[in-house]
Each structure stands twice: as C-alpha cells, then as structure tokens.
Amino acid sequence: MARNEQLIRQHKLLQLMEISRFGRTLDELRDDLVADLGLTKLHSRTVRRDLEALQAAGFAIQSEVVDRGRVYKIGQFNQNAVHEVGVSATEMIALAIGRELLHPLIGTQYWRGIETFWNKLQETVPDGVYDHYQRYRKTLHVFGSPAKSYEEHAGTLKTINRAIVEHRVVEIEYASVGNPVRQRRLEPYGLAVYQGSIYVVAVESGIPNPDNQTTGQRLRNWKLDRFQSAVALSEYFTPDESVDISKHLSKSIGIFSGENPTSVKIRLGKRAAAWVREDPWHPEQRLEPRADGAALLTVPASHPREVLPKVLSLGLDAEVLGPAEFREAVAVAVKEMHRLYQDDGESSDDSAGT
C-alpha cells in the first residue's frame, strides 16, 4: 500500500462530495477516485470503509436513497460533527481580500477549496452581517496581483502534491528561461507561493554531492510555470526530518534561498531610504540612518539576482558596497545598459525587423 494512500483517498472523497450538490453513489465515488488519483483498481468496500472512518471522525456525511441508488454527500453540521463557525463582517472582508490576492491559483484544487468555503460562508451568514459586509467591502479595493492563472498546470500540481505527501520521486520536463527543455528527477518537499507564482521546493535526485552538502543546502525552488510535464515514479525517497521549509524560504529577499545567506550592504540616498523604510525588503534587514537622511541597508540575500532588480529600480539613489560578487553583478548590468542606450534606438529597431 502506497504511503499515506488512505489519507489522500479520504481527502479526495471529501472534495468530491463538497462539489456535488445531489450527492454521489458508492460506485460513482469509486470511479472518480480511480480517475483522479490514477489508480488501477479500487473496491467499493474500501470506499465504504473510508466514508465510515470520516463519519467517525466527525464529518457530517449523510446518505439517502434516490432513483439512481444510495448517494452520499456533505450534510449540515450537527452536534456530533465539526462545529459551525460564526463569521463577522470584518472577518468576511479579510477573507474577501485574501481571496482576491490568490487569483493566480484559479484552476487549482486550492482555488476550488477557497471558492467552496467562500460560497458556504455567503449562504450561511445572517442577512444583516452580509449586508454590513457588502457596504464596507466597497471601501477597500485590491489590485496589482499578477495577471496569471495556474489552470493549465492543475494536473501537474496534483501530481506534485501527491508526490510530496507520498515522498515519491517525480520525473519532470523543465524549461529554464533561455535554456532548452531538460528532463530532471526531483524529491519534492513542499510548495511555496511568492508574488503570485508557485514554486516547488525540491532536491534534484541522482545528482552527485561532492561537497557533502546537507539536504537543506541542496534544496532549490523550481518555478511551476516552467514545468512541461510531471510524472510521479514508483520510486520513494526518505525525507530529511531536519529540513524546515519555512526557515529555508525566510533566509533571502526573494524566492532564491540557501542555508547560509550573505549580508549585503547597500548605501541608500535620502529618497531611497524613505522608500525602503516604507516597504521593507526583508524582515531581518537593518537600516542605519545617516545625519543627511541617507542610510546604510544591510539585508540577507542568497544570490546577486535577488538584489539586482531592487537596486537598479532605485537608480543613482542606491549603491551596493559589498560583497564584491554582488557589487560586480550590478556593475556588469549597468555597463550593459549603458552600451545598449548608446545605440540609436530607432536604427536598432529597424534592423531587428529586417
């Protein structure tokens, strides 16, 4: 039996019943489980036992006989089930804002969960609370989320999720920017959402480790947008229990990460210091003010590419002082931009079209 197979199967059963208004028969649930989880076979008795286990755990699963047979569905909460939670107008506003910020997840199982929960709330809250919510919701508008969706990656994401839970090696086709598609084998540890994009936190399997790096040092963040395909193999890996994904992701400015981030020092002019004070780059940054209003920023980073776009966006109002690798990365970018803008833009555009 595959690892955590029962947990995955029961979670999928709940999802199937949540989205079914009129319920599903035992055979329908079994067929859906086989199709969604990629199983070769599944007995109805197993599905029945899973339903009974969920009922015993407190889920309000009800059954009734209709024309097509006995159907199962999620019923109203009762005293023996999970208790109904009261929601205030303020809490609904907070949830609505969070929902809009997560629009890039449209098409994924996460979004389906968000939508079913949101619809359930709207149906169950008292009219007075909902009216109050609607009035006050108009005072705050959310925009600026990336104009993207992971709907086309729903199947890949489902495969990755299953592999994370079951600790299975995944074979993927990955297309890094500017590079051809390559086949890779990953040991996935978790998922991360950063600025509207989903990343798979994983170790590349089968790659030599001459420096005897720890698992945490070998972890990389693989952008889901670049996955061309993903197949969960019948090959398992033993996860390193010492790995803490939250800590792994908190050590750098952006999505780049590493066990030992570098402290980067940046001189900020008066205006830049004010902007970074308003919108910090990292929770652990230090901003030391100067008498003239300027400041020295010290911030952790794992790769020069994290610092590069932020520093360039500040123009002459920011200067990387060190380490040398980070300063050199900015210097090279500035030289290349200078060379680019020395050319006649119109002539370059004309030549590109011929």
Side-chain angles (χ1 to χ4, degrees):
M1 178 168 149
R3 304 181 188 187
N4 296 321
E5 184 183 58
Q6 186 182 45
L7 172 64
I8 298 167
R9 201 172 55 237
Q10 290 179 356
H11 184 67
K12 176 55 67 175
L13 272 175
L14 289 173
Q15 289 182 326
L16 292 171
M17 289 185 288
E18 284 172 354
I19 61 176
S20 176
R21 180 179 177 186
F22 300 106
R24 279 180 163 85
T25 66
L26 208 60
D27 288 343
E28 288 171 348
L29 288 170
R30 180 201 61 204
D31 293 343
D32 286 336
L33 285 172
V34 169
D36 280 10
L37 298 180
L39 305 175
T40 54
K41 61 180 180 178
L42 181 66
H43 202 283
S44 297
R45 285 197 302 270
T46 304
V47 181
R48 187 188 300 277
R49 286 196 294 268
D50 284 339
L51 290 170
E52 291 171 351
L54 289 169
Q55 287 175 318
F59 288 92
I61 299 173
Q62 299 177 350
S63 67
E64 61 179 325
V65 178
V66 296
D67 291 341
R68 69 181 195 278
R70 181 172 293 278
V71 297
Y72 296 83
K73 59 184 177 180
I74 301 292
Q76 295 297 317
F77 294 121
N78 56 51
Q79 61 182 2
N80 296 318
V82 179
H83 291 289
E84 187 173 343
V85 179
V87 180
S88 69
T90 302
E91 290 166 337
M92 285 196 70
I93 292 171
L95 287 169
I97 294 168
R99 174 177 169 272
E100 292 185 28
L101 290 171
L102 292 173
H103 274 173
L105 298 181
I106 287 176
T108 70
Q109 65 265 44
Y110 302 114
W111 184 257
R112 286 193 292 274
I114 293 168
E115 284 296 88
T116 55
F117 180 62
W118 180 244
N119 292 336
K120 192 181 298 181
L121 279 181
Q122 293 183 93
E123 293 172 0
T124 57
V125 296
D127 292 341
V129 172
Y130 190 74
D131 291 343
H132 186 76
Y133 153 75
Q134 283 190 311
R135 288 197 302 271
Y136 278 82
R137 180 66 186 86
K138 296 176 182 178
T139 65
L140 181 63
H141 304 272
V142 178
F143 65 98
S145 297
K148 66 188 297 183
S149 165
Y150 279 101
E151 191 164 2
E152 293 182 0
H153 291 80
T156 299
L157 190 56
K158 185 186 298 183
T159 299
I160 298 296
N161 266 309
R162 183 181 177 189
I164 292 170
V165 175
E166 296 182 356
H167 311 315
R168 294 174 69 168
V169 176
V170 182
E171 189 171 80
I172 67 169
E173 290 185 333
Y174 193 76
S176 300
V177 175
N179 294 313
V181 176
R182 287 184 58 192
Q183 194 172 74
R184 322 291 277 264
R185 289 159 58 90
L186 305 182
E187 299 174 5
Y189 274 74
L191 297 169
V193 180
Y194 176 71
Q195 294 186 346
S197 293
I198 299 178
Y199 294 81
V200 181
V201 184
V203 169
E204 189 163 7
S205 181
I207 300 300
N209 184 17
D211 299 327
N212 293 319
Q213 293 181 318
T214 65
T215 302
Q217 291 172 321
R218 296 174 61 213
L219 282 174
R220 284 184 54 194
N221 304 321
W222 307 74
K223 198 169 187 179
L224 187 62
D225 307 63
R226 301 170 186 172
F227 282 56
Q228 304 293 308
S229 66
V231 177
L233 304 177
S234 298
E235 180 181 336
Y236 298 88
F237 68 94
T238 302
D240 186 339
E241 298 296 333
S242 68
V243 169
D244 187 327
I245 298 297
S246 297
K247 288 183 179 179
H248 166 77
L249 295 168
S250 67
K251 294 179 178 179
S252 298
I253 297 174
I255 195 59
F256 292 95
S257 57
E259 287 288 289
N260 301 301
T262 302
S263 291
V264 182
K265 294 188 179 297
I266 305 169
R267 181 202 59 79
L268 299 176
K270 185 175 181 180
R271 288 187 305 170
W275 291 331
V276 174
R277 193 174 293 111
E278 289 177 354
D279 297 303
W281 292 4
H282 192 275
E284 297 179 10
Q285 72 178 37
R286 296 197 311 274
L287 200 60
E288 303 171 36
R290 296 290 187 259
D292 60 355
L296 176 65
L297 172 67
T298 304
V299 64
S302 295
H303 197 282
R305 277 182 287 174
E306 290 180 273
V307 173
L308 186 61
K310 290 184 173 292
V311 171
L312 291 180
S313 69
L314 297 175
L316 296 175
D317 226 19
E319 177 190 2
V320 175
L321 303 178
E325 177 189 4
F326 287 76
R327 182 177 175 86
E328 180 63 20
V330 177
V332 169
V334 171
K335 288 176 184 176
E336 289 298 311
M337 291 174 65
H338 176 67
R339 182 190 60 76
L340 177 66
Y341 281 93
Q342 278 188 315
D343 296 336
D344 186 339
E346 292 185 2
S347 62
S348 298
D349 185 59
D350 291 341
S351 63
T354 57

